[in-house]
Amino acid sequence: MKAPILVSIPHGGWKVAEELKDIWALTENNAFHDGDPLTARIYDFSDRVHVQLVMEYYRAVIDLNRAPDDIAPKNPDGVVKSHTIYKVEVYKPGSFPDETLKKTLLDRYYFPYHRALAAAMRRDDVRMGVDCHSMAALSPPIEKDAGTPRPLICLGNLGDADGNPTAPFDRVTCPPEMIRFAVEEFAKVFAHEDVEPEVKATATANVPFEGGYITRSVDAGTTPFLQIEMSRALYLAKPYFDEETLEVEERRLKDLNAKIWRVLNNIVRNL
């Protein structure tokens, strides 16, 4: 029996769009580290949930977690990017997509995902939605707190550190008691992870991320919706990760998958 969960994985892509191959400047390593690498495998619950959406193209190709008009150069890290989060140029000199190509990227890759997400949230067999990400272990150079260690797990519902409504959104995408329960469950499951750098908290609510554009824009109605951010210290680090091959031990990916699934099941049972 499948769980009544919608799983969204918007940044787990591994492909370059055909339309961009002639102007693409990123190496495989650059594109890998700009996105949420391997999250399509870590959060793969396709055989256990009613709906799973996965974006196959790199975050640097099209960022589903940005507003459609949030575009470089105004925001270098926008829906169509000029630079990665590590300030590496995405395109060859003088080759940034023109208005026609930007529209093509949005029409072919961005809007269909968001339409599918909206339709899935209206399904009667979906009782909870989760937008699944990974985050750099340290805040990247584009952030004001660059170099700051992040928690192992950050959950977002647009609220404050206790999950309650606060400015600027003054609303939440799931009840405060639900996100607090989820934080406690993740903290228990990931309590004994040995990672570097040392983190101040295992799991948090809305710090450092309260939720991106998907969380802000999804029409959840009465269906609770959460953003999940998992630190890459949990898998893009020794002894699991090989920087040269960009591969992670399969058993580690399966272990993370099992731990996250355990928590999601507990959350659903507690609804």
Side-chain angles (χ1 to χ4, degrees):
M1 184 175 180
K2 291 191 174 183
I5 302 173
L6 157 67
V7 173
S8 164
I9 311 172
H11 288 164
W14 57 94
K15 297 179 181 178
V16 179
E18 193 66 34
E19 299 89 341
L20 301 180
K21 287 184 176 178
D22 289 341
I23 60 175
W24 189 255
L26 295 182
T27 64
E28 182 183 8
N29 187 289
N30 292 150
F32 179 91
H33 285 292
D34 178 70
D36 295 355
L38 305 176
T39 50
R41 293 166 64 185
I42 292 170
Y43 292 106
D44 182 12
F45 309 120
S46 54
D47 59 340
R48 288 162 276 176
V49 300
H50 283 297
V51 187
Q52 178 164 297
L53 302 175
V54 182
M55 180 52 158
E56 296 182 349
Y57 294 93
Y58 283 123
R59 176 182 178 273
V61 168
I62 193 82
D63 192 337
L64 302 176
N65 209 23
R66 297 288 185 271
D69 59 352
D70 184 15
I71 297 179
K74 184 177 180 180
N75 178 9
D77 190 37
V79 59
V80 177
K81 305 179 186 301
S82 60
H83 293 75
T84 71
I85 58 172
Y86 296 103
K87 300 184 178 181
V88 179
E89 291 189 10
V90 175
Y91 299 99
K92 296 175 182 177
S95 298
F96 185 75
D98 60 18
E99 294 305 312
T100 299
L101 183 50
K102 290 175 189 175
K103 185 177 185 302
T104 297
L105 295 173
L106 289 166
D107 289 345
R108 289 185 180 173
Y109 306 112
Y110 181 91
F111 291 120
Y113 190 98
H114 281 270
R115 286 194 294 267
L117 183 63
M121 288 300 290
R122 294 192 294 267
R123 288 176 51 147
D124 292 336
D125 56 2
V126 170
R127 294 181 58 206
M128 178 177 76
V130 286
D131 195 43
C132 302
H133 299 260
S134 70
M135 57 183 170
L138 302 175
S139 298
I142 64 169
E143 301 290 351
K144 293 179 180 178
D145 63 343
T148 301
R150 289 168 166 173
L152 297 186
I153 302 290
C154 171
L155 305 180
N157 74 339
L158 306 184
D160 63 17
D162 292 315
N164 296 308
T166 189
F169 305 110
D170 296 316
R171 64 185 178 91
V172 290
T173 57
C174 76
E177 57 272 18
M178 176 180 167
I179 197 171
R180 289 195 292 265
F181 175 80
V183 167
E184 290 174 1
E185 290 296 303
F186 272 108
K188 285 189 289 187
V189 170
F190 285 89
H192 303 296
E193 294 287 345
D194 183 16
V195 299
E196 292 184 1
E198 186 175 348
V199 296
K200 294 181 180 179
T202 302
T204 61
N206 298 306
V207 180
F209 297 113
E210 71 273 12
Y213 178 75
I214 288 175
T215 305
R216 297 195 302 271
S217 63
V218 69
D219 184 8
T222 58
T223 304
F225 193 86
L226 272 176
Q227 177 176 283
I228 303 174
E229 293 274 4
M230 177 185 59
S231 173
R232 291 173 209 144
L234 288 165
Y235 67 105
L236 294 191
K238 294 180 179 180
Y240 315 112
F241 181 54
D242 186 328
E243 181 66 48
E244 290 188 9
T245 63
L246 301 178
E247 293 181 356
V248 175
E249 290 181 4
E250 185 66 25
R251 62 180 179 178
R252 182 53 173 171
L253 298 179
K254 289 181 177 179
D255 178 53
L256 292 173
N257 177 279
K259 288 181 174 180
I260 296 167
W261 181 245
R262 174 181 163 189
V263 174
L264 293 182
N265 260 322
N266 288 343
I267 297 171
V268 168
R269 292 194 190 102
N270 198 55
L271 288 176

